[in-house]
Amino acid sequence: MSLTKVSKVTRRGIAAFIIFLAVLTIGRIGWNVGVRIYRHFFPPKKPAPETAFGKIGIPKIPSSDINLSKWKYELDTPTARLPAMPDRLPIFPLEKNPTTPLTELQAEDLAKSLGFTSSPKAISPTEYRWEEGKRTLEMNIVSQAFSLTYDSNTLEIQLTKGNAPTKQLAEDTAQNFLNRLSLGNKTLESAKREVSFVQINNGKFSVVESLSQAQLTRVDLFKVLNVDGKSYDVLGPKPRQGLTTLLVAGGSYRSVVDQVPIAEYQNWKIKTEEGSTYPLLTSSKAWENLEAGNAALVYLKPQGAGFYENPSPPLVEKIRIQNMQLAYFESKQAQNYLTPIYVFKGLAEVKNQKPWEIVLYLNAIPQEWVNQEPQESNED
């Protein structure tokens, strides 16, 4: 074969190969586009939620005794539409706290670490109280959840206005306090922290804007769960307050424990690796339940009100819901599972006043998966 013929055959082969590659590439792109279009109109069916725990008992959410079904609700989100929500979320079991002969000893060790050396008074089989001087400690001896208080009039005399720690110093002190008591863990270390400044006047606490007015710096810790790349808040009965809260004083102290005169601690251990998915109410069904008065009213205060203000409920004319989201609810009482809730936030229109801030909770699990029997305690 002559060189001329070889050259022609080679060129034709190369051209045919290029055409083949072009057809293959266009075909693959066309196939992928076609598959995407098909899946858009005919999406694959999701497997049913796992529901591994069967029907579950859900914690009771404390609510105001106001008849919410008489209120008128208006959707006032930026889009004027209900937000898209996932159709399922995992429910997580909480670690059970066994009652053993060592339970009381462990509680007494924690009390000693907090500076209480006297014998406690039993309020109930699981609740003990220590009182020494101006300080009081109440503790669930099984879960070790506790409330530490200090006489406010004495604190007012002892603490100087303007001597409260800065935001960063208060956050560091709060974490050191928990670590010193062996209560710090990854859940609380990764919690969201909200800091505010507190003043004491005539024995009453109030939130102030300026550090120069404050005698204490308050740190509220809000746990957060990551589920499928999204973050969900873990909220307690009071949505503006963390389940773990510490008031930190400024100045020099012998121990970091002495620097926190007032504290609330609660941290049920969540078994995130053992969660099981359950169906959720759709956002439209949740809205229907809200309008029917089935939600729990957990916050209603004038805008800008502090933690320590508790005004009488006003005459509400209408509720404008500006935000709707999913979160998890952690009760102050023992519970077996951490369950999702819908959180509605907005403004309550009040006669002859500026609007009040309002927050409502609604159980997000459909009733067919809720055990109506009282749930067992997670304290053995």
Side-chain angles (χ1 to χ4, degrees), residues 16-291:
F17 182 70
I18 292 172
I19 292 170
F20 171 75
L21 285 179
V23 170
L24 182 63
T25 302
I26 293 170
R28 289 184 66 182
I29 293 172
W31 172 262
N32 290 336
V33 171
V35 168
R36 286 175 188 164
I37 292 172
Y38 177 81
R39 287 180 177 171
H40 176 77
F41 290 102
F42 304 99
K45 235 181 178 182
K46 277 186 179 181
E50 299 157 346
T51 60
F53 311 124
K55 288 189 175 185
I56 61 166
I58 59 174
K60 182 176 175 57
I61 302 173
S63 176
S64 165
D65 57 3
I66 297 173
N67 185 353
L68 306 184
S69 63
K70 294 183 177 180
W71 287 354
K72 293 181 179 178
Y73 297 88
E74 178 183 293
L75 187 63
D76 191 26
T77 58
T79 62
R81 295 179 181 178
L82 292 169
M85 296 292 186
D87 68 340
R88 67 194 69 192
L89 273 180
I91 284 176
F92 299 103
L94 298 179
E95 186 173 295
K96 290 191 174 184
N97 296 304
T99 303
T100 71
L102 293 176
T103 299
E104 187 175 342
L105 293 176
Q106 290 170 342
E108 289 180 354
D109 284 344
L110 177 56
K112 286 178 183 177
S113 297
L114 286 164
F116 292 85
T117 56
S118 61
S119 298
K121 177 182 178 181
I123 306 172
S124 74
T126 59
E127 297 284 336
Y128 281 21
R129 178 189 290 135
W130 288 260
E131 293 180 348
E132 292 187 11
K134 302 295 184 179
R135 304 170 74 226
T136 301
L137 173 67
E138 291 188 359
M139 186 190 306
N140 182 308
I141 63 170
V142 180
S143 69
Q144 294 194 341
F146 67 79
S147 174
L148 173 66
T149 57
Y150 202 113
D151 178 69
S152 59
N153 290 297
T154 304
L155 271 183
E156 184 176 358
I157 296 169
Q158 292 177 346
L159 302 177
T160 306
K161 287 183 181 179
N163 199 36
T166 61
K167 177 179 182 294
Q168 187 60 57
L169 181 56
E171 288 183 3
D172 293 343
T173 303
Q175 190 61 55
N176 290 338
F177 174 86
L178 294 172
N179 292 342
R180 179 70 178 269
L181 299 173
S182 300
L183 300 174
N185 56 27
K186 289 182 180 179
T187 305
L188 289 182
E189 286 175 3
S190 62
K192 290 194 302 186
R193 301 172 185 182
E194 294 188 6
V195 176
S196 50
F197 302 121
V198 176
Q199 181 186 89
I200 312 172
N201 191 15
N202 295 324
K204 294 183 179 180
F205 294 89
S206 62
V207 175
V208 291
E209 294 296 324
S210 171
L211 184 60
S212 63
Q213 300 173 283
Q215 290 147 288
L216 293 161
T217 302
R218 174 177 172 134
V219 183
D220 285 79
L221 277 64
F222 295 87
K223 291 189 290 187
V224 178
L225 286 181
N226 188 284
V227 179
D228 296 331
K230 292 184 179 180
S231 296
Y232 294 90
D233 294 331
V234 179
L235 300 176
K238 297 179 179 180
R240 303 286 195 229
Q241 301 181 37
L243 287 162
T244 295
T245 300
L246 303 101
L247 271 69
V248 183
S252 299
Y253 292 85
R254 290 178 304 170
S255 165
V256 68
V257 172
D258 298 329
Q259 201 170 348
V260 181
I262 298 172
E264 295 275 346
Y265 169 81
Q266 177 182 321
N267 184 24
W268 299 117
K269 294 177 182 177
I270 306 166
K271 295 184 177 181
T272 52
E273 70 285 353
E274 297 180 23
S276 178
T277 54
Y278 274 71
L280 300 178
L281 295 173
T282 63
S283 54
S284 58
K285 188 64 178 177
W287 183 265
E288 289 176 17
N289 284 346
L290 174 70
E291 291 186 309

